[in-house]
Amino acid sequence: MSILRNIFIRFSKQVETSDHQKDSSLNTHYYKATFNQLFQSIEDLFRQDADCRIATVSKDHGEIAVEINKPISCFLIVTVVTVRPMETAVDFNISSEKFSPIGLYPILRKRLISYYERINKLHTLVRVGKSS
């Protein structure tokens, strides 16, 4: 049953981070920063990325929608939420309509991990996973 599940996951065209992921690298990341600091850093990160175009920014909802052109075209929603003073969570939801004979999940997963790594260089990571 596990092999069949892994095959379905591999061909998934959508990857989402959350506190309830079995894959720990896709768990929500919590940073020592205010909402405004983190939101601005993330917005700047995507504005400076030549492969990305910010489609919409909704600071009121804590969301940034990004169109990604390379290596495959996909759509990303970044959600930034204040958990407590000086602790802010970041989650991603990425999807694509493209098809790949080897499956898109590994490519999309790698992309999300790289975004977390880039944010980790800008802000202090408090923890990965469930909010206490």
Side-chain angles (χ1 to χ4, degrees), residues 6-16 26 68-75 94-113:
N6 287 341
I7 290 171
F8 282 123
I9 288 173
R10 181 169 198 82
F11 288 95
S12 174
K13 294 181 176 186
Q14 188 257 341
V15 181
E16 184 173 17
L26 295 176
I68 302 168
N69 302 316
K70 295 179 186 174
I72 57 165
S73 62
C74 46
F75 190 73
I94 191 169
S95 60
S96 178
E97 293 299 317
K98 298 290 181 189
F99 173 78
S100 171
I102 60 168
L104 287 179
Y105 185 87
I107 297 166
L108 298 175
R109 178 185 175 275
K110 184 177 178 182
R111 190 87 185 200
L112 295 186
I113 292 169

Side-chain angles (χ1 to χ4, degrees), residues 80-103:
V80 181
V81 177
T82 300
V83 178
R84 58 180 63 104
M86 288 302 292
E87 187 173 326
T88 307
V90 176
D91 273 311
F92 298 109
N93 186 328
I94 191 169
S95 60
S96 178
E97 293 299 317
K98 298 290 181 189
F99 173 78
S100 171
I102 60 168

Side-chain angles (χ1 to χ4, degrees), residues 10-71:
R10 181 169 198 82
F11 288 95
S12 174
K13 294 181 176 186
Q14 188 257 341
V15 181
E16 184 173 17
T17 64
S18 74
D19 279 332
H20 308 290
Q21 282 284 358
K22 291 182 182 188
D23 180 347
S24 62
S25 62
L26 295 176
N27 280 337
T28 302
H29 282 48
Y30 296 84
Y31 295 94
K32 183 177 182 178
T34 65
F35 171 86
N36 287 330
Q37 291 168 334
L38 198 55
F39 194 89
Q40 189 61 53
S41 292
I42 293 169
E43 188 177 350
D44 292 345
L45 183 139
F46 287 107
R47 286 203 190 284
Q48 295 165 3
D49 190 329
D51 297 336
C52 299
R53 185 184 79 74
I54 293 180
T56 60
V57 174
S58 176
K59 202 167 187 179
D60 293 340
H61 293 108
E63 291 184 347
I64 301 171
V66 182
E67 294 174 357
I68 302 168
N69 302 316
K70 295 179 186 174

